[in-house]
């Protein structure tokens, strides 16, 4: 559901967000989980000492958006036999549109060359592991 300009998103505390992401990764295929866990751990470690409030809010909001995407894509499907109210039971089916989501062009334009290179390497590693 699209947010109106007045709606604000409550951000999770960094450690809480980190734990939620790692829990959500339990629902991914093994190769994706391993790679995702390693990546999340390194990113949170690298950003641990950042003290610029704008960077902190940006970092947390992007990772929270990622968490919401993973939770949506691993949610039990409608034809699942699992109880719908059990948050521990997830579907291992691949989402119809594939994993993740396309990066909007306005966000892509803001990335540095190093960040674009990192995304490219991540994409290639993911493709190799899924073959």
């Amino acid at each position: 559901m699209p947010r109106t300009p007045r709606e604000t998103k409550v951000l999770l505390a960094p450690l809480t967000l980190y734990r939620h992401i790692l829990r959500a990764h339990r629902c991914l295929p093994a190769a994706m989980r391993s790679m995702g866990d390693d990546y999340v751990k390194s990113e949170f470690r690298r950003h641990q000492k950042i003290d610029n409030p704008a960077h902190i809010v940006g970092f947390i909001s992007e990772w929270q958006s990622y968490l919401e995407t993973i939770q949506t894509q691993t949610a039990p499907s409608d034809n699942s036999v699992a109880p719908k109210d059990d948050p521990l039971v997830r579907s291992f089916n691949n989402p119809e549109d594939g994993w993740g989501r396309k990066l909007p062009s306005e966000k892509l334009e803001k990335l540095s060359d190093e960040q674009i290179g990192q995304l490219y390497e991540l994409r290639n590693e993911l493709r190799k592991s899924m073959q």
Side-chain angles (χ1 to χ4, degrees):
M1 188 166 160
R3 278 185 252 139
T4 62
R6 290 186 180 171
E7 286 184 60
T8 56
K9 186 177 183 177
V10 176
L11 297 178
L12 296 172
L15 188 56
T16 302
L17 177 60
Y18 176 78
R19 288 177 180 154
H20 279 46
I21 291 170
L22 293 179
R23 279 190 203 111
H25 280 181
R26 293 176 187 166
C27 304
L28 297 173
M32 288 179 71
R33 177 183 180 182
S34 174
M35 186 180 307
D37 286 355
D38 291 346
Y39 187 75
V40 169
K41 289 173 186 177
S42 70
E43 283 297 299
F44 272 76
R45 204 172 292 123
R46 277 188 11 193
H47 291 83
Q48 194 171 17
K49 300 205 188 297
I50 290 186
D51 55 4
N52 182 328
H55 289 164
I56 294 169
V57 169
F59 181 83
I60 298 298
S61 62
E62 288 301 320
W63 278 106
Q64 195 159 322
S65 175
Y66 167 80
L67 173 62
E68 291 167 3
T69 299
I70 292 297
Q71 287 174 330
T72 300
Q73 291 181 346
T74 59
S77 59
D78 291 337
N79 59 2
S80 173
V81 213
K84 304 238 185 292
D85 59 345
D86 186 349
L88 298 176
V89 177
R90 300 285 190 186
S91 167
F92 282 96
N93 298 329
N94 287 328
E96 290 178 18
D97 299 332
W99 292 102
R101 60 186 154 89
K102 187 173 181 173
L103 192 62
S105 58
E106 60 272 3
K107 286 189 180 182
L108 191 59
E109 291 170 4
K110 293 179 183 179
L111 296 178
S112 68
D113 289 342
E114 181 184 343
Q115 290 170 320
I116 290 173
Q118 191 177 12
L119 276 176
Y120 181 75
E121 288 176 27
L122 184 63
R123 184 188 75 168
N124 288 342
E125 285 299 315
L126 189 59
R127 285 185 175 174
K128 274 195 269 181
S129 70
M130 296 306 289
Q131 291 179 355

